[in-house]
Amino acid sequence: MGDRLPSRGERAAANQLRRILAAQATGDGERKIEVVGEAGQRAEIVLTPALSALLMELLRHIGRGDAVTLVPVSQELTTQQAADILNVSRPFLIALLEKEQIPHVLVGRHRRIKAEDLFAYKRRRDEEREAALSDLAVLDADII
């Protein structure tokens, strides 16, 4: 998908599959599903909690109509790809790299960022934002 938005049919199929998977949850977070092949052969598949959560997240995005791209954590990204993932401008990302907030390497004259380093930065940024919002909520509660 990545470079295009899911069609209406793909969104509907993703939402339907998400509902089916949600109904198949066991007490330990696993999901058991039975798949029927074209020749009628049946197979039961057990999704671990981590795989189930990942699949549900993917289906939620597709169901909402978001374009989705999978990025292996070992992949090296261009500055534009990294900026797109963080939803920031490329110049802003370059400033983060120059401040050494995100590790990167030079390949010739081009900067490359490991996806795992970018996602680690994104997690830290999101945690800091959440902490700041919590602090604001506490301050707001004190005023009221």
Side-chain angles (χ1 to χ4, degrees), residues 126-141:
D126 292 346
E127 289 167 0
E128 290 169 2
R129 284 180 177 175
E130 191 170 320
L133 284 173
S134 293
D135 291 346
L136 283 173
V138 169
L139 289 173
D140 188 46

Side-chain angles (χ1 to χ4, degrees), residues 67-126:
V68 176
T69 300
L70 297 177
V71 179
V73 293
S74 61
Q75 182 174 339
E76 286 191 345
L77 305 168
T78 66
T79 53
Q80 187 60 60
Q81 290 169 323
D84 290 344
I85 289 171
L86 293 179
N87 199 27
V88 298
S89 69
R90 188 175 162 279
F92 182 83
L93 177 81
I94 299 295
L96 292 175
L97 298 178
E98 290 173 352
K99 292 176 189 172
E100 298 181 0
Q101 293 193 15
I102 303 171
H104 68 283
V105 295
L106 284 175
V107 178
R109 297 179 336 166
H110 302 281
R111 297 172 182 91
R112 295 290 181 260
I113 302 108
K114 285 185 182 175
E116 63 187 311
D117 291 335
L118 184 72
F119 294 132
Y121 168 80
K122 187 175 184 314
R123 269 191 302 280
R124 285 191 312 272
R125 180 191 71 179
D126 292 346

Side-chain angles (χ1 to χ4, degrees), residues 17 20-21 24 31-37 40-47:
L17 182 54
I20 290 168
L21 288 175
Q24 301 303 317
R31 287 179 164 74
K32 295 181 182 182
I33 57 174
E34 186 174 332
V35 178
V36 180
Q41 72 276 21
R42 296 178 180 272
E44 182 177 87
I45 300 171
V46 178
L47 300 176

Side-chain angles (χ1 to χ4, degrees), residues 17-68:
L17 182 54
R18 191 167 49 91
R19 283 191 299 276
I20 290 168
L21 288 175
Q24 301 303 317
T26 62
D28 58 4
E30 289 185 341
R31 287 179 164 74
K32 295 181 182 182
I33 57 174
E34 186 174 332
V35 178
V36 180
E38 289 180 16
Q41 72 276 21
R42 296 178 180 272
E44 182 177 87
I45 300 171
V46 178
L47 300 176
T48 64
L51 182 56
S52 178
L54 180 63
L55 186 55
M56 293 293 280
E57 179 76 11
L58 174 68
L59 292 170
R60 182 172 38 258
H61 283 289
I62 294 171
R64 283 195 317 225
D66 297 336
V68 176

